């Protein structure tokens, strides 16, 4: 069965960086894009960007351009998101999700809480 | 960029009620519209894809309709497990975008 398992919660200080992992199993990792979505406390879902594990191609929401990097390692079936220059507004649950033929997000990770606090 | 606007932002309903949530896109997105259910502490779950196709395993009380810019999610008879937040999502063009969500609460 398809599973996406994310790394554990993180606490970071403002200005620091965080890297969250998303390990895929149950399907051919290189064949499906991975998207990242976040939800700040009390807010809705926010699309951050996508990554193709096979080509390494990426696309980021304008809001995160220059501050986010999405990568993948096909040898260990794992996707990563790194967010730099963290601020308190980045406190959120970050989700990875598989894109089914670039039309919908059919499987999601369990979410990773990133807390940014001094 | 395409903006997605949902209404209402919240609603109160009773078990057995028929519930309708609407979603409007700022530009035509054909049928590239999906609906997700999100419960606290859980990952979002896709209910409807391509505007009107029911995802495998999702109860038939959920249905979707629309194309172009106006879309609807309907729950024909609300069940206790349906109290959650619902999001529409456009996958027509990058950047993808979600609606702001509709919280369905118990009356």
């Amino acid at each position: 069965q398809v599973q996406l398992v994310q790394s554990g919660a993180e606490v970071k200080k403002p200005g620091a960086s965080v890297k969250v992992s998303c390990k895929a199993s149950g399907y051919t990792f290189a064949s499906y894009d991975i998207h990242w979505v976040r939800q700040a406390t009390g807010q809705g879902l926010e699309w951050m960007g996508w990554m193709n594990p096979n080509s390494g191609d990426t696309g980021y929401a304008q809001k995160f351009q220059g501050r986010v990097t999405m990568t993948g390692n096909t040898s260990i079936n794992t996707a990563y998101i790194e967010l730099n220059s963290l601020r308190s507004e980045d406190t959120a649950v970050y989700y990875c999700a598989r894109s089914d033929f670039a039309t919908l997000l059919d499987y999601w990770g369990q979410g990773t809480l990133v807390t940014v606090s001094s | 960029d395409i903006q997605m606007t949902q209404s209402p932002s919240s609603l109160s309903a009773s078990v057995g009620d028929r519930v309708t949530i609407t979603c409007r896109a700022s530009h035509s997105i054909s049928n590239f519209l999906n609906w997700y259910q999100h419960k606290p502490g859980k990952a979002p779950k896709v209910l409807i894809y391509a505007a009107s196709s029911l995802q495998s395993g999702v109860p038939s009380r959920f249905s979707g309709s629309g194309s172009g810019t106006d879309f609807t999610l309907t729950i024909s008879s609300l069940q206790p497990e349906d109290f959650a937040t619902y999001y529409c999502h456009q996958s027509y063009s990058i950047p993808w975008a979600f609606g702001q969500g509709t919280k369905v609460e118990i009356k």
Side-chain angles (χ1 to χ4, degrees):
Chain A
Q1 70 283 19
V2 174
Q3 278 194 304
L4 297 172
V5 179
Q6 298 182 223
S7 50
E10 303 263 12
V11 179
K12 296 292 182 181
K13 293 195 182 303
S17 298
V18 69
K19 191 170 186 177
V20 175
S21 67
C22 170
K23 184 169 177 59
S25 60
Y27 73 99
T28 303
F29 176 66
S31 297
Y32 294 80
D33 294 345
I34 292 287
H35 292 244
W36 291 89
V37 175
R38 77 178 187 180
Q39 183 180 37
T41 305
Q43 304 296 310
L45 300 176
E46 180 175 33
W47 183 83
M48 299 181 70
W50 66 275
M51 182 275 300
N52 181 286
N54 186 48
S55 65
D57 288 345
T58 57
Y60 304 138
Q62 178 99 18
K63 175 177 180 178
F64 302 104
Q65 288 274 4
R67 213 163 59 93
V68 71
T69 305
M70 297 177 188
T71 57
N73 184 333
T74 54
S75 65
I76 57 172
N77 295 341
T78 301
Y80 302 93
I81 182 173
E82 184 169 22
L83 191 60
N84 303 316
S85 303
L86 290 168
R87 33 216 191 220
S88 58
E89 309 90 87
D90 295 318
T91 294
V93 176
Y94 289 75
Y95 294 98
C96 62
R98 188 185 85 160
S99 167
D100 182 7
F101 302 110
T103 56
L104 77 151
L105 300 169
D106 60 348
Y107 289 93
W108 295 64
Q110 82 276 19
T112 297
L113 175 62
V114 175
T115 302
V116 183
S117 173
S118 54
Chain B
D1 295 359
I2 296 173
Q3 315 300 321
M4 307 300 293
T5 304
Q6 277 181 245
S7 61
S9 55
S10 65
L11 64 90
S12 295
S14 300
V15 172
D17 283 354
R18 181 181 182 89
V19 168
T20 299
I21 298 168
T22 64
C23 179
R24 174 164 288 177
S26 60
H27 301 85
S28 176
I29 58 171
S30 184
N31 69 336
F32 287 83
L33 190 284
N34 311 303
W35 290 97
Y36 299 85
Q37 178 191 66
H38 194 199
K39 296 180 178 179
K42 302 271 192 177
K45 170 187 170 184
V46 59
L47 302 173
I48 302 287
Y49 65 95
S52 59
S53 296
L54 191 68
Q55 179 72 342
S56 175
V58 173
S60 59
R61 62 181 179 273
F62 292 94
S63 64
S65 64
S67 68
T69 60
D70 293 305
F71 302 88
T72 300
L73 173 70
T74 299
I75 309 172
S76 60
S77 177
L78 198 66
Q79 298 302 300
E81 60 268 30
D82 300 338
F83 293 97
T85 301
Y86 294 84
Y87 294 91
C88 62
H89 160 236
Q90 72 83 13
S91 57
Y92 179 78
S93 66
I94 295 290
W96 286 6
F98 292 90
Q100 77 276 22
T102 296
K103 187 173 185 179
V104 176
E105 299 174 301
I106 302 171
K107 182 183 279 185

